[in-house]
Amino acid sequence: MSNPSDTSVCLQARHKAAERPTLGSLWPAAAVALLGLPILVLLALTSGEGRGQYVVIAAPWVDRAGVAGTVHRAGAGLVASGFLPNIAVSWSEDEGFPAAARAQGVWLVLPTSGFAGCGPAGGGRGR
């Protein structure tokens, strides 16, 4: 005859194994994280009043020089280039800059808070 405590230990081990997450059970959390992170970054970049600073997003096939030229032709200065070549942070005191940049072919112009780069006195470098 088997010991009742052995049966209890076996049942507890099975119960704990059933509680462990599997890779399949983690997919919903991973999907929410992958979809939510870009939204949170976008909200963080566009929070605040902007103070003349903009995130400029051009077509994916536009290189850094193309984005810089577009920003300059629209009447703004370039503060920084983004991680991706088609993204840049620009500075303009002209309220018409977003419309001018879109007229030059930029896909999206978003006002951003000061943490995305420096203001005009910084010359693109931190103080």
Side-chain angles (χ1 to χ4, degrees), residues 11-122:
L11 289 174
Q12 287 175 355
R14 285 185 193 163
H15 182 67
K16 286 188 179 187
E19 289 178 357
R20 289 188 198 132
T22 63
L23 187 58
S25 66
L26 296 177
W27 280 113
V32 168
L34 289 175
L35 293 174
L37 184 61
I39 292 170
L40 288 175
V41 168
L42 184 65
L43 288 173
L45 285 174
T46 59
S47 65
E49 59 192 56
R51 298 181 209 98
Q53 196 165 335
Y54 300 91
V55 173
V56 176
I57 302 174
W61 52 85
V62 177
D63 62 0
R64 291 186 201 288
V67 173
T70 301
V71 165
H72 289 293
R73 283 190 304 276
L78 193 66
V79 175
S81 291
F83 177 72
L84 297 173
N86 65 318
I87 299 175
V89 178
S90 63
W91 177 267
S92 177
E93 294 181 3
D94 181 9
E95 291 180 12
F97 168 71
R102 284 190 293 274
Q104 290 289 327
V106 170
W107 282 9
L108 192 60
V109 180
L110 301 170
T112 186
S113 59
F115 79 90
C118 304

